[in-house]
Amino acid sequence: MCSKSLFAAILLCFFGLLSCQEKHDLPFLGPKTLNATGDTVYHQIPPFRFLNQDSTWVTEKDMEGKIYVADFFFTTCPTICPKMKTQLLRIYERYAANDVVRILSHSIDPEFDQVSVLKNYANKLHIEAPRWNLLTGDKKAIYAIGQKSYMVAAQEDSNEVGGFVHSGAFILVDKNRHVRGIYDGTKEEDVNHLIEDMEKLLGNK
Amino acid sequence: MLALGLASCDSKEEILYQQYVVEGRVLYQTHCANCHQENGSGLKDLYPAISQPALWKSLNTDELTCLIKWGRKGTKGYMPGNTKLQALDIAEIQTFLREQWGPQKAIYSLDSTRFALKKCETTL
């Protein structure tokens, strides 16, 4: 009896250790190219410039040395956005003391979501820049970066509730602006995976 | 609660009540829980909590029917309307809400819903 459970415990430890040591490296997502010297060049988020809720410009330079989660939303969205925000809040609160982590939420209705609207939304959600930036700006630039760089759907569609079609994706970007994971931001389990992957990028795992 | 529900399952009204609650829950999850959350706790100051007993004591159910159907831009924010929801859907949602948080656990009838909807249409 006793020896059996001891054996089980040892087995458990063994497998536990194995799975810990096994290092699952995160993939590099998006199109890869070869440079002149034949090295693989990974897909990278290009330079950008958007205004946040404090009317401050946020650019790729602000993301230097940071890992970040990007998503697309709009303040009047009745469907999946509140769910996504609930999940992003988990991340925001978890990394409250970690200055390496950022969140970039891009509005896909920038004409309505002006800085003052975003400020009001941020206040009501009790969140602050620069840790969590709500971004607005040129609509074409936002849609382009969404579709081409973050590889998610974001566009106007009058048939959709709220007038836009967009995915509920969260995109994980590393310190070199490479996309390392895409998750369903409306599902708690998927966001658990995101958090695990963030831990890996932060070197905690 | 459950025992009570089972014990009185023989009555027709009770069965109808349970049916409304079950369907109302599904509708709530599709149309309301995004903002107010499954447990009614709301989301910070963005979407109000709707689970406090005090709210349900003061809430006018006819007004709530209009709110669900047509939405409102109020002091706590903007709640979009659900114009595609029919009277029966709203009756079921209301019955579910009452069952969860309301003082009176009773059916909110289809007739009451229709009556309330007429009133809000004329005031619009």
Side-chain angles (χ1 to χ4, degrees):
Chain A
M1 179 66 206
C2 202
S3 67
K4 237 188 211 166
S5 58
L6 189 68
F7 180 67
I10 291 173
L11 253 182
L12 238 152
C13 285
F14 182 68
F15 282 116
L17 275 177
L18 255 188
S19 62
C20 275
Q21 277 169 352
E22 211 178 317
K23 218 175 155 160
H24 292 287
D25 283 331
L26 299 179
F28 288 85
L29 302 180
K32 299 171 183 70
T33 48
L34 291 180
N35 68 7
T37 54
D39 294 326
T40 309
V41 180
Y42 296 113
H43 174 66
Q44 191 183 37
I45 304 298
F48 59 85
R49 193 167 115 107
F50 298 117
L51 271 179
N52 75 2
Q53 67 267 38
D54 295 332
S55 209
T56 306
W57 289 107
V58 175
T59 74
E60 78 286 353
K61 296 214 172 64
D62 297 296
M63 297 301 125
E64 267 167 26
K66 315 284 184 200
I67 70 166
Y68 69 93
V69 178
D71 79 318
F72 294 82
F73 83 115
F74 54 111
T75 60
T76 52
C77 157
T79 52
I80 56 177
C81 309
K83 270 197 181 151
M84 294 164 70
K85 292 295 161 275
T86 312
Q87 293 303 321
L88 281 178
L89 269 174
R90 280 176 64 204
I91 292 171
Y92 182 74
E93 279 159 12
R94 183 186 172 106
Y95 294 108
N98 192 333
D99 196 43
V100 176
V101 175
R102 293 284 185 265
I103 301 174
L104 299 187
S105 291
H106 306 72
S107 170
I108 55 170
D109 186 11
E111 281 147 12
F112 181 82
D113 288 340
Q114 309 258 328
V115 169
S116 59
V117 174
L118 294 180
K119 184 69 187 169
N120 190 17
Y121 192 88
N123 286 343
K124 287 184 160 189
L125 208 52
H126 301 267
I127 60 162
E128 283 179 4
R131 286 210 299 116
W132 189 342
N133 292 290
L134 304 178
L135 301 175
T136 183
D138 178 49
K139 191 161 160 180
K140 277 201 201 110
I142 293 175
Y143 286 15
I145 205 169
Q147 290 162 7
K148 291 194 200 119
S149 305
Y150 293 110
M151 302 173 280
V152 296
Q155 64 196 72
E156 267 175 292
D157 183 344
S158 52
N159 295 324
E160 283 289 314
V161 192
F164 296 88
V165 49
H166 76 297
S167 81
F170 289 169
I171 304 102
L172 176 60
V173 182
D174 70 14
K175 290 180 182 169
N176 298 314
R177 301 204 314 279
H178 296 308
V179 175
R180 306 301 295 272
I182 298 183
Y183 314 82
D184 184 343
T186 64
K187 299 219 170 73
E188 191 174 341
E189 319 83 73
D190 233 46
V191 175
N192 292 342
H193 288 303
L194 164 60
I195 291 173
E196 280 168 26
D197 291 350
M198 289 174 76
E199 291 290 306
K200 283 183 196 163
L201 278 189
L202 290 166
N204 297 342
K205 244 189 185 171
Chain B
M1 249 325 280
L2 189 70
L4 206 135
L6 286 175
S8 48
C9 251
D10 43 349
S11 91
K12 244 189 190 162
E13 277 140 67
E14 186 57 33
I15 293 172
L16 192 68
Y17 174 64
Q18 294 299 342
Q19 211 175 326
Y20 269 46
V21 169
V22 170
E23 310 221 314
R25 179 190 304 277
V26 174
L27 288 164
Y28 178 83
Q29 277 162 355
T30 318
H31 299 282
C32 322
N34 277 344
C35 294
H36 296 291
Q37 310 290 308
E38 306 229 330
N39 63 2
S41 64
L43 182 56
K44 306 275 168 156
D45 295 333
L46 211 48
Y47 306 115
I50 55 169
S51 51
Q52 332 81 312
L55 170 71
W56 289 95
K57 281 201 191 100
S58 64
L59 209 66
N60 174 325
T61 29
D62 289 353
E63 276 172 21
L64 180 54
T65 290
C66 297
L67 172 63
I68 292 173
K69 180 85 175 176
W70 300 111
R72 181 169 75 205
K73 202 168 198 157
T75 50
K76 293 176 201 152
Y78 167 65
M79 171 166 152
N82 295 272
T83 48
K84 285 181 188 151
L85 290 183
Q86 300 303 310
L88 178 61
D89 304 321
I90 296 176
E92 289 170 343
I93 292 175
Q94 286 258 25
T95 304
F96 166 73
L97 295 173
R98 282 184 174 187
E99 193 264 348
Q100 291 282 298
W101 303 299
Q104 29 165 188
K105 319 261 177 223
I107 203 159
Y108 181 70
S109 75
L110 188 52
D111 282 345
S112 313
T113 315
R114 287 206 177 110
F115 186 70
L117 280 174
K118 271 225 176 73
K119 272 200 301 185
C120 52
E121 269 157 34
T122 51
T123 54
L124 270 173

